[in-house]
Amino acid sequence: MMKFADLIDENIEELASMDCRDGGKLFSVGKAIDIPNVANTLRYYAGAADKIHGEVLKMSTPFHAYTLLEPIGVVGHIIPWNFPSTMFFTKVSPALAAGCTMLIKPAEQTPLSALFYAHLAKLAGIPDGVLNVVNGYGHTAGAAISSHMDIDKVSFTGSGEIGREVMKAAAASNLKPVSLELGGKSPLIIFDDADLEMASELALIGILFNKGEICVASSRVYVQEGIYDELVNKLVEKAKAWSVGDPFDPQVRQGPQVDKTQFDKILRYIEHGKREGATLLTGGKPIGDKGYYIEPTIFTNVTEEMLIVKDEIFGPVMALMKFKSMDEAIKCANNSRYGLAAGVLTKNLDIANTVSRSIRAGTIWINCYFAFNDDCPFGGYKMSGFGKDLGLDALHKYLQVKSVVTPLYNSPWL
């Protein structure tokens, strides 16, 4: 695994270029962040591989007992197109450390880097048959992985609709365990005492990073009434200056949507917002007539019933709402079928602690956003799924617990 990570470091530019060409991701971000981080993820779990231990149990009967942690077996990983490299190693690294063999089905939109990673794995000395990349479509390759009797677990990241199908197929075959990360509609709550410059920058990055194609995008932004008007002006000014264009250009901050299907979906949601009565402050249109570029888009005067507030759009579309009290903000934040992440911006520690404990979401960021780390478990509540990626929690989902029990002496009732 360490050698595998070293080979990734040696091929950073080529790998970043593949994800840029496949998915429209910014080459500069891939080169500086995504690809170096996946090598570090490999190293993190490589460090855990020889520290997988059971425990000795204190029994209340005359028996000696201990547990073994054993690989769960063959794992099927089905990964999405928005972070092809990151998701590949978020799944593969802990499964390798646990001692599992695996099949990885990358998204059909972004197959290139996964194939190259399989090549590097072989160069690193990972034995044949341990890490297998299987390209294909969800309804064929993905369905086969989910229903195969010889696959012992499935880890899936993607839409809620497909997640349900994965669970059904797993249950109908060999009742294999499933872990699901199914997206979100994450709230960012900005209180009156927040730093306006930081708040405006985090709010925009939260929805525009990776052109909004990120499961934890802060697509619902709740702003306390005392700073609402001033913050709205800042957001609109910054959004209009946001650079959209060629993802290989280091000055560009937003590339094209991944494909025409996603492009058309986002534009349909923008039209929904207009028809439902929301006010379009800026953006809302395609850019140019070549490629799948969309302007950074901000709606205000939105209500909780609108589709642009309820549905995961997976694009550069922000819904801005005003609130009065902390209790109102908490209620609005929880008014979603999703529960993946949330952000809280305030200088008041009491507010930060109260809100973070009151929101039903798997990750809460206070005065920051997108603060991921290999040590920190990531996963959702409610319809955002179950099971954790990253952290040691991810390692344990690829392990079985076996109890071994031995009598201390010959008992008369044995």
Side-chain angles (χ1 to χ4, degrees):
M1 289 175 73
M2 290 293 192
K3 177 62 175 174
F4 195 179
D6 291 343
L7 289 169
I8 291 169
D9 283 339
E10 293 170 15
N11 292 274
I12 284 176
E13 290 208 2
E14 188 166 0
L15 287 160
S17 175
M18 289 176 183
D19 286 347
C20 182
R21 292 179 184 278
D22 263 357
K25 297 177 65 64
L26 296 182
F27 175 73
S28 59
V29 172
K31 180 180 173 182
I33 300 175
D34 288 23
I35 310 304
N37 280 353
V38 302
N40 288 335
T41 299
L42 260 177
R43 293 187 180 102
Y44 174 86
Y45 286 104
D50 61 352
K51 301 172 184 66
I52 297 172
H53 308 299
E55 58 183 2
V56 176
L57 305 175
K58 185 178 184 298
M59 304 284 278
S60 59
T61 50
F63 293 88
H64 169 71
Y66 62 92
T67 59
L68 295 173
L69 299 182
E70 299 181 340
I72 199 167
V74 183
V75 179
H77 300 296
I78 304 173
I79 62 176
W81 42 257
N82 59 329
F83 283 87
S85 290
T86 300
M87 294 311 308
F88 187 99
F89 285 99
T90 296
K91 306 293 189 186
V92 164
S93 303
L96 279 177
C100 297
T101 59
M102 63 206 70
L103 293 89
I104 306 102
K105 192 202 89 64
E108 56 267 28
Q109 297 91 338
T110 52
L112 291 180
S113 60
L115 293 170
F116 197 76
Y117 289 127
H119 165 65
L120 295 181
K122 188 170 180 66
L123 294 181
I126 291 177
D128 291 348
V130 171
L131 190 156
N132 309 277
V133 172
V134 180
N135 277 314
Y137 293 95
H139 65 275
T140 51
I145 289 171
S146 302
S147 60
H148 203 288
M149 293 295 291
D150 293 330
I151 291 178
D152 301 296
K153 178 184 172 62
V154 174
S155 179
F156 171 81
T157 296
S159 71
E161 293 77 13
I162 303 302
R164 289 175 184 271
E165 295 303 315
V166 169
M167 281 194 73
K168 288 177 185 176
S173 55
N174 57 349
L175 277 176
K176 62 176 68 67
V178 175
S179 55
L180 304 174
E181 196 268 274
L182 305 178
K185 192 70 179 175
S186 301
L188 176 63
I189 305 172
I190 305 173
F191 285 89
D192 279 346
D193 64 342
D195 179 271
L196 280 174
E197 187 62 30
M198 179 189 74
S200 61
E201 193 65 24
L202 284 180
L204 275 183
I205 291 172
I207 188 60
L208 300 182
F209 179 68
N210 204 52
K211 53 293 197 325
E213 293 173 350
I214 179 167
C215 52
V216 291
S218 59
S219 50
R220 295 186 291 147
V221 178
Y222 297 94
V223 183
Q224 201 161 18
E225 57 186 1
I227 59 168
Y228 183 83
D229 292 338
E230 189 176 355
L231 187 61
V232 165
N233 292 335
K234 276 187 174 291
L235 287 172
V236 170
E237 179 185 356
K238 288 176 180 285
K240 287 180 176 178
W242 200 264
S243 55
V244 183
D246 181 357
F248 279 100
D249 184 342
Q251 304 303 316
V252 164
R253 301 188 75 178
Q254 180 183 321
Q257 309 307 137
V258 67
D259 59 15
K260 190 175 189 303
T261 299
Q262 187 64 20
F263 175 78
D264 291 341
K265 173 189 170 185
I266 296 165
L267 293 177
R268 284 197 301 272
Y269 271 107
I270 290 171
E271 290 306 311
H272 271 301
K274 294 177 184 176
R275 285 199 302 272
E276 289 180 325
T279 301
L280 181 63
L281 290 177
T282 187
K285 300 188 296 295
I287 297 175
D289 55 6
K290 184 179 179 181
Y292 306 126
Y293 299 92
I294 295 177
E295 293 176 336
T297 301
I298 301 176
F299 280 103
T300 189
N301 294 325
V302 298
T303 63
E304 298 287 319
E305 296 76 28
M306 292 181 179
L307 287 180
I308 58 171
V309 177
K310 294 195 300 183
D311 291 359
E312 183 178 39
I313 299 172
F314 228 58
V317 182
M318 177 194 295
L320 263 175
M321 288 156 281
K322 186 188 299 184
F323 72 90
K324 292 183 178 181
S325 67
M326 180 180 66
D327 288 344
E328 181 187 357
I330 292 168
K331 181 180 178 181
C332 291
N334 284 328
N335 186 24
S336 173
R337 60 184 179 273
Y338 296 108
L340 190 56
V344 182
L345 305 185
T346 179
K347 296 187 179 99
N348 187 314
L349 188 61
D350 291 337
I351 290 176
N353 285 332
T354 301
V355 175
S356 63
R357 284 160 173 75
S358 301
I359 294 177
R360 296 191 65 215
T363 300
I364 310 293
W365 288 302
I366 298 172
N367 294 326
C368 60
Y369 212 79
F370 296 145
F372 294 104
N373 189 270
D374 291 326
D375 293 288
C376 190
F378 175 77
Y381 285 25
K382 299 188 284 188
M383 287 182 65
S384 288
F386 48 84
K388 297 293 184 181
D389 289 323
L390 301 178
L392 294 182
D393 293 68
L395 183 68
H396 284 273
K397 75 182 182 183
Y398 299 111
L399 294 166
Q400 293 271 34
V401 179
K402 176 185 285 183
S403 298
V404 181
V405 183
T406 308
L408 290 173
Y409 52 86
N410 290 328
S411 172
W413 46 271
L414 285 178

